[in-house]
Amino acid sequence: MEDKVKLFQQKAESYLCCYNSHCPRCGQCLRYEVGQYAAPTQRIVTAVNPRYEHGADGTCHLFRDNQPLLMPVGMMQHFYYDMPGRIERAIKRRLIAANCRTTYYKYHRGDRPITPDVLSLITRVCREEGWQGPLQFDGEVEDYLW
């Protein structure tokens, strides 16, 4: 629990926080929860407009679930192991084009967890390029979708 407090205090310094306690989903919103950890000495915070019209009706597109997810990490050890070279190169080329080279290699090395959106992109690209086998990542990590 202490790690969560430190993490949220650190994130509150630069994260888009929310302070709309009238929102019906504020109890499940990561932005609202992180906002509660902002230091009282911090003069300026980046925040969602408290008068945002969709904040009160629960349809805010800035909502982030405050439950951590289990996400895959790393594509170095097993991901391309059984793939034919032409499929491997085609997949890598398309993933770099979709994410940019730097971001792709952060996913590849395991520096950044693979979010559900990115995982669906990776799966779609692999299937479109003809790879029907399992996608084997280097590991899994439990993290928030910031």
Side-chain angles (χ1 to χ4, degrees):
M1 185 66 172
E2 187 175 315
D3 292 336
K4 180 179 176 180
V5 171
K6 288 180 183 178
L7 175 66
F8 281 15
Q9 286 172 341
Q10 180 184 13
K11 280 290 186 182
E13 294 174 6
S14 60
Y15 189 60
L16 178 63
C17 299
C18 182
Y19 298 97
N20 186 354
S21 59
H22 300 294
C23 175
R25 298 195 301 173
C26 71
Q28 296 89 36
C29 185
L30 184 63
R31 296 188 190 283
Y32 184 82
E33 189 173 352
V34 170
Q36 306 310 303
Y37 290 90
T41 57
Q42 188 175 346
R43 290 179 30 200
I44 299 172
V45 294
T46 305
V48 177
N49 179 359
R51 296 177 50 203
Y52 179 54
E53 62 184 4
H54 295 294
D57 64 11
T59 61
C60 179
H61 73 281
L62 297 169
F63 173 81
R64 295 290 181 270
D65 194 352
N66 66 355
Q67 297 301 313
L69 295 176
L70 195 59
M71 295 181 273
V73 290
M75 301 164 62
M76 291 181 68
Q77 295 173 349
H78 306 291
F79 190 79
Y80 294 113
Y81 185 75
D82 289 332
M83 290 183 191
R86 66 177 178 75
I87 292 178
E88 175 186 347
R89 288 187 298 277
I91 290 170
K92 190 178 287 190
R93 184 185 73 246
R94 285 188 58 192
L95 292 177
I96 288 172
N99 293 301
C100 92
R101 184 172 298 278
T102 303
T103 304
Y104 166 79
Y105 279 104
K106 286 180 181 179
Y107 291 130
H108 181 77
R109 287 189 309 264
D111 297 342
R112 180 182 284 187
I114 298 170
T115 63
D117 291 342
V118 175
L119 181 59
S120 67
L121 170 72
I122 292 171
T123 303
R124 183 175 52 82
V125 167
C126 288
R127 301 305 180 231
E128 288 174 1
E129 292 300 332
W131 179 250
Q132 299 303 318
L135 302 179
Q136 297 179 340
F137 296 94
D138 297 344
E140 292 181 324
V141 67
E142 191 173 54
D143 201 359
Y144 295 96
L145 281 179
W146 299 105

